[in-house]
Amino acid sequence: MSNIALLLMDLQNDYYSTFEGAKWPLSGTEKASENAAILLAQFRDNGMPVVHVRHEFPSDEAPFFVPNSDGAKIHPTVTPIEGGPVVLKHQINSFRDTDLQRVLEELNVERLIIVGAMSHMCIDAVTRAAVDFGYECHVAHDACATLDLEFNGVIVSAHNVHHAFMAALSFGYCNVQSTDKLLDLVR
């Protein structure tokens, strides 16, 4: 079990509809965060590695995750422990221009359970990149959130966006399961 880590992606205040002043609330962030917190507690109870990833845009003109803002802080439901690894990123892919790869190597990680936001962006990008780097990946689909999208005048519901990306990841990249099923990997 020691070669598996929990990777919590962008569970930051601006994504929570219950956070006053949220700049980019997603659909279902609170429920996804509840499930992420269950996995987080299990990893901590077992003394297993946990890596948080936090996104900040490089400019104060950003639509959300403005540098040094309360909205860019990790949500209290999944707060990192003092001194625990927190990777700061400025790109969609968490491996790009960060030390995520080095952090995972130092922790001797070979497998990842991935949770967070957004399903169609950062979850998709980090999972595909991690697989390309040789990690065995597992995504907790009920611990991820996204939002409605529009393409060519068609609104695609967050539910459908999420399911389409989970289906694509499970088709060729990783194991996509519920939080309960993935807990079996770390019990």
Side-chain angles (χ1 to χ4, degrees), residues 34-76:
E34 283 177 30
N35 288 323
I38 291 167
L39 284 162
L40 178 59
Q42 187 68 46
F43 270 78
R44 286 182 177 162
D45 287 349
N46 291 348
M48 299 167 73
V50 173
V51 179
H52 290 264
V53 175
R54 191 174 71 78
H55 193 159
E56 273 190 6
F57 287 97
S59 164
D60 287 343
E61 277 78 55
F64 56 99
F65 297 160
V66 173
N68 303 309
S69 69
D70 286 340
K73 292 179 181 174
I74 294 173
H75 194 266

Side-chain angles (χ1 to χ4, degrees), residues 19-32:
F19 177 74
E20 187 174 331
K23 293 186 174 206
W24 207 262
L26 305 181
S27 175
T29 310
E30 287 75 11
K31 183 61 180 166

